Amino acid sequence: MTRTLYLFCSAAPPVFDVAQVIEHAQAGGWDVCLGLTPAAARWLEAGLDGLAVLTGHPVLWEYERPGDPGVWPPADAVLFAPATFNSVNSWALGLTSSFVVGVAAEAIGKRVPTVTMPCVNAAYAQHPQFQRSVETLRASGVTVLNGDEGYVPNGSGGGGRPGAFPWGLALGAVEGAGT
């Protein structure tokens, strides 16, 4: 039986590895639907058609119009990675102006197993709202892979390194999140 994974990505350097992540998830039996923040969609703009072919689904980054039929099957799990400072805080605060943040917020209420791995620099990780947001998401049932149990923030302004993000850990957490 094929399971459906909603893979949501923010605009952080690991997003450039998303095709490999999709292939890895597909090899594990997942039907992957890719959703992006608007900034991540701009970063990947040249490859969006190829990513749609790879997943077999349209890549989404905007809300559909009311009344439009949904184009994705229902999610069995959600993985939001990389999740930026802005996305994590918006999600925890219920600020759903971004399609992927809105769907991730709904996943909590629908009790869809949800995992996130923030990708923030060390300065953002020290901001008090970020810590509150991580706690809020965890209290809501979201598996948050941050710090020692996930992504270790890089130095302020370091920009991150594609290929160094622990995608395998994130996908493994989805497998273990009750799916």
Side-chain angles (χ1 to χ4, degrees):
M1 180 171 129
T2 303
R3 303 163 296 164
T4 300
L5 174 66
Y6 287 5
L7 174 60
F8 294 157
C9 302
S10 299
V15 76
F16 292 112
D17 297 328
V18 74
Q20 294 169 323
V21 175
I22 291 166
E23 290 170 343
H24 188 79
Q26 289 170 330
W30 291 99
D31 176 23
V32 180
C33 298
L34 179 62
L36 304 169
T37 63
R42 284 190 302 278
W43 285 19
L44 298 177
E45 187 173 12
L48 291 177
D49 289 340
L51 291 168
V53 169
L54 179 61
T55 64
H57 302 284
V59 178
L60 300 179
W61 61 90
E62 296 178 314
Y63 283 106
E64 298 163 336
R65 291 181 301 187
D68 284 353
V71 295
W72 289 352
D76 293 301
V78 174
L79 172 58
F80 198 151
T84 60
F85 180 79
N86 185 55
S87 292
V88 169
N89 288 325
S90 294
W91 183 11
L93 292 169
L95 303 175
T96 60
S97 60
S98 164
F99 165 74
V100 293
V101 172
V103 175
E106 277 188 317
I108 293 170
K110 292 179 177 180
R111 300 194 191 285
V112 176
T114 303
V115 174
T116 188
M117 188 175 305
C119 183
V120 300
N121 68 36
Y124 281 140
Q126 296 303 311
H127 192 283
Q129 183 56 53
F130 181 75
Q131 295 305 317
R132 284 191 293 272
S133 292
V134 166
E135 291 170 15
T136 296
L137 292 174
R138 285 182 173 149
S140 300
V142 176
T143 300
V144 181
L145 305 171
N146 185 57
D148 292 339
E149 65 271 351
Y151 177 75
V152 177
N154 58 307
S156 181
R161 297 182 321 272
F165 195 70
W167 283 108
L169 180 65
L171 289 170
V174 169
E175 287 292 338
T179 59

